[in-house]
Amino acid sequence: MIETEDIVGTGVKITVPKDELVQALGVVSRAVSTRTSVQILSGILLEALPAEVGGGELRVAATDMELSLRATIAAQTDGDGSIVLPGKTLVDIARLLPADDVSIEHKPTESVVHLTAGSASYTLHTYSPEDFPRLPDVTSVQTFPVDRESLLETIQRVARASSRDESRPVLTGILVQFAGGKLTMAATDSYRLAVKETELDGSAPELEAIVPGRALQELARVASAGDTVDVGVHENQVVFGSEGTWLTTRRIDGQFPNYRQLLPEQFEHELTLPRGELLEVVRRAAVMIQRATPLQLRFAEGELTVIARTHEVGESKESMPAPFTGETLEIGFNADFLRDGLESVDGDDIRLKLISPLRPAVLQGDGDEFTYLVMPIRLPG
């Protein structure tokens, strides 16, 4: 755990390169809470380790109690201790400092920090480090490496399908499973479902957790370098490490929907369409959509027509060739959900699988490793 009990002795002085400080603060500041009612969560923790202990390091951390981010950078340290500074103010100051090196000094008899860089100097009031939440001790968590690109691509493909509705916490998470040499992620907001299976090089222990979608999206931002990401579970926390940056997040309790039961086994129509062309048609039609008006797809012999019709704006129609045979089929979708599915599928072509106007449709790419299911919307009339 990051120890935050006392700032005693002769105080602490930290000298750190500005660019490295700005980068580290930029990473952890994404976990700074915007809830003004809990002041300590709006702060960033700075912990100095002296040269004889950690080679001279500055650790910075922030948490909003759901997500925590930590980064470590080399620094010249005189003394050791912890201080908590107003997060947004500290980030804004650091970005605008005029010099290459930044000095941060705190004396145990004062409740302020003196920050200087070149001719600029600031005095910042501190928060009590004793009030800063204790963060999981990442050094005690057993982790295993996962190929970074494979992990981040899997997150990127499924994350948009997770819910933003906090009234159903399980659906705001992404089901993460490591089993049988595969990584599987699934996300659903009950209107669409995204599932991605990824073959992994090397071995990984079996693991299953529901991880907040927001945390995985933040991981995709902070794990910007390196070949692997370290993954581990500690009690009710999931831990990710990348190039000196650690992200920890709570596991979501509950039962994730059995997504395999949601996927239809048989379809009436399976069409292969040029993904890029269909995506552009949908994007153009979506401009006309207002409120919850569905986007209408009309399948006729050899043709697909995409129709957007709203009373407030007007109507658009655009057709493209489609290998459809049989009786005309008209089905409606949420335009944003359909567009997200088309953008998430990989490859030049997309396989569109249909049953009926009131049954879910499935989008897949060249292989079966990614599946996007989207529920239809009943068309008016």
Side-chain angles (χ1 to χ4, degrees):
M1 249 170 237
I2 289 183
E3 297 297 333
T4 61
E5 278 81 3
D6 299 301
I7 305 174
V8 295
T10 59
V12 60
K13 182 176 181 180
I14 306 161
T15 303
V16 62
K18 172 196 167 181
D19 290 345
E20 294 182 25
L21 177 63
V22 170
Q23 182 177 7
L25 292 176
V27 168
V28 304
S29 65
R30 300 187 67 88
V32 170
S33 175
T34 57
R35 293 179 295 176
T36 55
S37 59
V38 187
Q39 186 183 58
I40 193 67
L41 298 182
S42 67
I44 292 179
L45 174 71
L46 282 70
E47 183 185 29
L49 293 183
E52 63 267 24
V53 175
E57 290 181 340
L58 171 63
R59 296 178 183 173
V60 295
T63 182
D64 61 7
M65 300 302 291
E66 177 185 274
L67 170 73
S68 69
L69 284 165
R70 279 167 279 187
T72 302
I73 52 178
Q76 296 178 16
T77 57
D78 182 6
D80 62 333
S82 303
I83 49 180
V84 182
L85 297 175
K88 183 180 184 303
T89 303
L90 178 61
V91 171
D92 290 343
I93 289 173
R95 286 175 178 159
L96 297 172
L97 289 174
D100 293 334
D101 287 333
V102 181
S103 173
I104 303 169
E105 185 173 5
H106 178 270
K107 296 179 180 179
T109 57
E110 298 179 342
S111 60
V112 296
V113 158
H114 301 284
L115 188 152
T116 59
S119 59
S121 64
Y122 297 82
T123 301
L124 296 176
H125 291 281
T126 63
Y127 302 152
S128 172
E130 291 86 350
D131 295 335
F132 195 84
R134 291 185 173 277
L135 305 181
D137 181 6
V138 295
T139 62
S140 66
V141 179
Q142 289 188 334
T143 61
F144 57 93
V146 179
D147 179 75
R148 183 181 69 88
E149 290 188 4
S150 297
L151 178 64
L152 299 192
E153 183 199 5
T154 306
I155 294 170
Q156 184 268 330
R157 301 281 287 279
V158 305
R160 280 189 274 191
S162 61
S163 177
R164 309 294 186 269
D165 184 1
E166 294 293 339
S167 67
R168 301 183 67 185
V170 167
L171 299 188
T172 66
I174 295 174
L175 180 66
V176 180
Q177 297 174 319
F178 289 91
K182 283 184 179 180
L183 164 62
T184 302
M185 290 191 188
T188 180
D189 58 7
S190 76
Y191 302 105
R192 66 259 183 81
L193 164 71
V195 182
K196 174 75 166 67
E197 292 186 350
T198 304
E199 295 284 345
L200 297 176
D201 295 329
S203 60
E206 292 200 358
L207 182 152
E208 179 174 311
I210 305 173
V211 183
R214 174 190 164 221
L216 291 178
Q217 289 172 312
E218 289 297 340
L219 177 65
R221 294 185 179 98
V222 302
S224 58
D227 296 328
T228 61
V229 174
D230 293 322
V231 180
V233 173
H234 178 68
E235 297 177 349
N236 67 335
Q237 297 282 322
V238 186
V239 176
F240 301 93
S242 173
E243 300 288 291
T245 297
W246 288 94
L247 182 153
T248 57
T249 185
R250 62 175 179 83
R251 296 174 71 165
I252 297 178
D253 294 328
Q255 185 68 40
F256 196 82
N258 186 339
Y259 64 88
R260 298 187 191 279
Q261 290 184 346
L262 302 176
L263 296 171
E265 295 182 356
Q266 294 182 329
F267 299 88
E268 293 297 322
H269 303 278
E270 295 192 23
L271 314 174
T272 298
L273 299 165
R275 187 183 72 89
E277 182 180 353
L278 178 56
L279 177 57
E280 289 304 310
V281 171
V282 169
R283 283 173 174 165
R284 285 192 287 269
V287 173
M288 301 290 290
I289 295 296
Q290 295 281 306
R291 300 191 184 96
T293 306
L295 188 68
Q296 180 180 348
L297 275 64
R298 178 188 295 159
F299 295 89
E301 196 75 26
E303 184 180 66
L304 163 62
T305 302
V306 179
I307 303 167
R309 183 184 294 117
T310 57
H311 295 297
E312 300 90 341
V313 179
E315 179 180 305
S316 73
K317 290 184 180 180
E318 186 170 355
S319 298
M320 58 182 287
F324 183 88
T325 59
E327 294 184 5
T328 298
L329 171 65
E330 296 185 354
I331 188 169
F333 295 109
N334 178 295
D336 291 337
F337 293 172
L338 181 60
R339 185 191 63 235
D340 283 350
L342 292 170
E343 290 176 346
S344 299
V345 169
D346 197 18
D348 295 332
D349 293 326
I350 190 164
R351 286 181 291 145
L352 176 59
K353 301 181 179 183
L354 302 166
I355 302 173
S356 71
L358 299 180
R359 297 289 304 280
V362 166
L363 308 179
Q364 289 182 317
D366 296 331
D368 294 328
E369 73 281 351
F370 176 74
T371 299
Y372 186 91
L373 176 148
V374 58
M375 298 298 295
I377 299 176
R378 186 185 296 271
L379 293 170

